[in-house]
Amino acid sequence: MPSRRDFLTLSAMGTSSAMLSSFASEASAAPREKGGAQMQGKPGMKPNIIFILADDMGYGDIGAFNFGASETPAIDQLMKEGTVLTQHYAGSAVCTPSRACLMTGRYPQRTGAVDVMPHFGIGDLALRERTMADCLGAAGYATGIVGKWHLGWNDPAYRPHARGFQEAAALEKTAHWNWVMDRNGVRQEHDGTYLADLLTDEAIGFIQRHRKEPFFLYLTHFAPHVPLEAPEEDIRPFREAGMNEQIAILYGMIRRMDRGIGRVLEEINRLGMKDNTVVVFTSDNGPQFGTSWTERQDLTRFNCGFNGHKDMVYEGGIRVPAIIRWPDGLPAGGMLHDMTHFSDWLPTLMDIAGRPIPDGVSLDGQSMWPVLQGDTTRITPRRFWQYSRYWPTAFHNAAVRDGDWKLVRPCLDDVTGPILGVLPPKGIAPATHGYNPDSRYIPQLPDPLPPQLFNLRADPQELRNLATVEPGLLRRMGADLDRWFESVMADLNSIKRA
């Protein structure tokens, strides 16, 4: 583990990838970098796939990166045994559009799921979209979801058991104590079980039921998303360490989730399935900072020096930890420094499963599998983000990354307040959703702020705006962002919702 002095130096630099290098060296005297040995897995055996998603969790929430301020031994061990993606990006700065990108391999604007709000149907994954579960199910996998779905619930046609998941233990109400679970249409009220424990039990049950066939399990935790709730035994160590109450509870939530992840990993090991099971861990977006509109408490905490937080397209809002472990297919202690993105997971997992993308499925993502095996010829693509309340707006909270360079069109709001947004066109939503904006709606956004330009290799904390130094690059990347936005909005506007 890096020393405290190393940690402070690295956090000042904002270089989580350098810190990952130091951490991974414990797992292997010669950790595999890009271009290292290739592994293929066992011929003729489809690997099982467990995809674990945290909610609002940043790099700084992992014990390996904060000197044990939080306790995440299972995630730390997964890093040592797997390959860490040091420049991995969520599909959006908030959960619903990010999850839509993950499930489809497409930018969220193309899928119709552009915001977390239930109004207007703008949180529903369009019925024309094929999901990761659809694709893996067609490839012969038993498919199941355990936890948070958040891609449509008002109409049963949008729920997970209608979107490719053969088994669905999905949350109808997301809360850590007062949850409501839907099991393939059967509703279960909370029974006093803490949510992370419930999800762990459900995941282990799915694994046991399908241990004799290839399976895909999407285990999507709600921690450490608000409301801040955790068992007292998990809060106490952090409170006694002198942390403020809200961070003590939040770290308690992470501690409990990590223990559940450890139980899942222990179960696949007990069943003799560890070597041929792909395990992925990541988060849907960066950590929530500032004052939560539900908690009225400041959740700001350490996140390895990254700028921004959830809701924002700066690195702190979209750059997230990611690990993939597959003992039969990848060596331990590896790191991938190429830029990767949520849209890349669907084609990557289909590659690992040995099956082509189904006909008619159009992707924005690329398979990471060749690069994970050491192929250095892959051209790193540009990646784009935009998020605003209700309806996409090109000049507000948008970004493009191209190689080392990143252009940001800043938020038009105070960084601790709600993200501003304009309403979608009238008539866009089914009558069942209504047209009821909340108090954060404003009729018109202010004038845009000047765009910013950063070189992330030299300045991963996004401290030095080079817009005036590289005006030609600024114009070119701005034009790329505009063309992308025009393309994804054409898809968004073509969705039939009623």
Side-chain angles (χ1 to χ4, degrees):
M1 197 72 79
S3 69
R4 180 171 180 80
R5 179 175 297 176
D6 292 338
F7 180 82
L8 294 173
T9 301
L10 291 164
S11 64
M13 295 168 59
T15 51
S16 62
S17 59
M19 189 168 182
L20 286 162
S21 300
S22 177
F23 180 78
S25 65
E26 291 188 21
S28 170
R32 186 188 68 89
E33 300 285 345
K34 189 177 74 173
Q38 298 187 11
M39 299 177 70
Q40 298 291 337
K42 293 181 179 178
M45 294 181 63
K46 292 177 184 174
N48 306 306
I49 299 169
I50 301 176
F51 198 108
I52 305 171
L53 189 67
D55 200 334
D56 294 359
M57 186 170 177
Y59 277 96
D61 293 327
I62 296 176
F65 299 142
N66 60 28
F67 278 90
S70 63
E71 295 181 16
T72 57
I75 297 171
D76 295 351
Q77 186 64 27
L78 198 63
M79 290 169 55
K80 293 180 180 180
E81 296 178 355
T83 295
V84 181
L85 283 57
T86 65
Q87 298 196 60
H88 185 59
Y89 288 88
S92 178
V94 294
C95 59
T96 291
S98 193
R99 291 160 189 260
C101 178
L102 173 65
M103 281 290 103
T104 64
R106 289 157 55 80
Y107 286 115
Q109 293 83 0
R110 300 194 197 277
T111 75
V114 295
D115 196 10
V116 300
M117 309 304 289
H119 317 307
F120 326 116
I122 55 177
D124 294 350
L125 185 69
L127 296 179
R128 70 188 186 190
E129 297 294 325
R130 300 284 297 278
T131 69
M132 187 182 290
D134 286 322
C135 296
L136 287 168
Y141 279 75
T143 59
I145 177 175
V146 172
K148 179 177 175 179
W149 171 238
H150 225 236
L151 292 174
W153 199 265
N154 289 343
D155 185 330
Y158 292 90
R159 296 178 187 176
H161 60 266
R163 306 311 302 267
F165 289 99
Q166 298 152 15
E167 293 188 26
L171 292 169
E172 178 181 328
K173 178 181 178 182
T174 48
H176 298 283
W177 289 114
N178 194 29
W179 47 264
V180 176
M181 176 74 75
D182 181 289
R183 290 186 177 84
N184 296 317
V186 179
R187 194 171 189 266
Q188 179 191 341
E189 298 279 352
H190 61 94
D191 61 4
T193 304
Y194 186 67
L195 179 61
D197 297 341
L198 173 73
L199 300 184
T200 298
D201 291 342
E202 292 286 340
I204 290 173
F206 178 87
I207 292 167
Q208 291 173 341
R209 287 191 298 277
H210 298 283
R211 63 186 181 274
K212 295 184 179 179
E213 60 183 330
F215 63 78
F216 163 55
L217 171 62
Y218 180 38
L219 173 54
T220 168
H221 277 278
F222 187 43
H225 195 292
V226 295
L228 298 178
E229 298 172 333
E232 177 61 27
E233 65 191 81
D234 292 300
I235 302 171
R236 188 180 303 113
F238 306 107
R239 187 185 289 136
E240 292 175 351
M243 297 182 187
N244 66 44
E245 186 67 8
Q246 55 265 35
I247 301 304
I249 298 172
L250 187 143
Y251 280 173
M253 294 160 68
I254 292 172
R255 183 178 192 249
R256 195 72 167 209
M257 176 181 66
D258 183 84
R259 185 179 300 130
I261 292 170
R263 285 179 55 204
V264 170
L265 300 179
E266 288 168 6
E267 182 64 14
I268 61 173
N269 189 44
R270 185 186 73 82
L271 294 172
M273 300 162 56
K274 175 180 177 179
D275 288 349
N276 199 38
T277 297
V278 176
V279 178
V280 176
F281 174 83
T282 187
S283 176
D284 61 350
N285 46 252
Q288 180 175 329
F289 282 3
T291 303
S292 162
W293 65 277
T294 58
E295 295 294 316
R296 308 299 178 195
Q297 296 173 314
D298 190 351
L299 304 179
T300 302
R301 57 196 187 275
F302 175 73
N303 192 34
C304 296
F306 289 127
N307 185 27
H309 49 77
K310 176 183 177 177
D311 289 331
M312 306 177 76
V313 297
Y314 292 114
E315 295 290 278
I318 57 175
R319 187 165 170 177
V320 291
I323 311 159
I324 178 171
R325 187 191 77 178
W326 181 22
D328 275 351
L330 292 168
M335 287 176 294
L336 179 65
H337 299 310
D338 293 63
M339 177 172 61
T340 56
H341 186 264
F342 262 29
S343 63
D344 298 331
W345 282 113
L346 191 157
T348 300
L349 295 178
M350 291 301 289
D351 251 6
I352 287 174
R355 295 299 297 269
I357 301 298
D359 291 341
V361 176
S362 176
L363 302 178
D364 290 306
Q366 299 182 14
S367 175
M368 296 179 273
W369 184 235
V371 185
L372 285 165
Q373 291 185 296
D375 183 355
T376 60
T377 63
R378 179 180 185 254
I379 298 174
T380 302
R382 291 187 298 269
R383 291 298 183 207
F384 301 87
W385 299 265
Q386 197 286 321
Y387 171 67
S388 49
R389 179 62 72 212
Y390 298 124
W391 203 242
T393 308
F395 56 83
H396 162 61
N397 203 33
V400 53
R401 179 171 174 183
D402 188 352
D404 294 333
W405 292 94
K406 181 179 175 186
L407 179 146
V408 174
R409 291 175 177 167
C411 293
L412 300 177
D413 195 16
D414 185 278
V415 295
T416 61
I419 297 296
L420 301 179
V422 296
L423 292 176
K426 281 188 177 292
I428 192 121
T432 54
H433 290 70
Y435 199 76
N436 302 304
D438 68 11
S439 61
R440 282 169 284 188
Y441 160 68
I442 61 171
Q444 184 174 353
L445 290 172
D447 291 336
L449 297 171
Q452 301 170 333
L453 185 66
F454 304 101
N455 185 307
L456 295 180
R457 179 180 293 272
D459 178 26
Q461 289 182 303
E462 297 170 304
L463 297 175
R464 296 184 291 279
N465 179 9
L466 301 177
T468 59
V469 179
E470 297 282 352
L473 182 60
L474 185 77
R475 286 191 297 271
R476 179 182 67 76
M477 294 181 70
D480 290 342
L481 182 53
D482 287 335
R483 282 190 292 270
W484 167 81
F485 190 77
E486 182 180 0
S487 170
V488 297
M489 287 302 292
D491 280 343
L492 176 59
N493 288 320
S494 72
I495 295 172
K496 294 180 180 179
R497 299 175 184 270

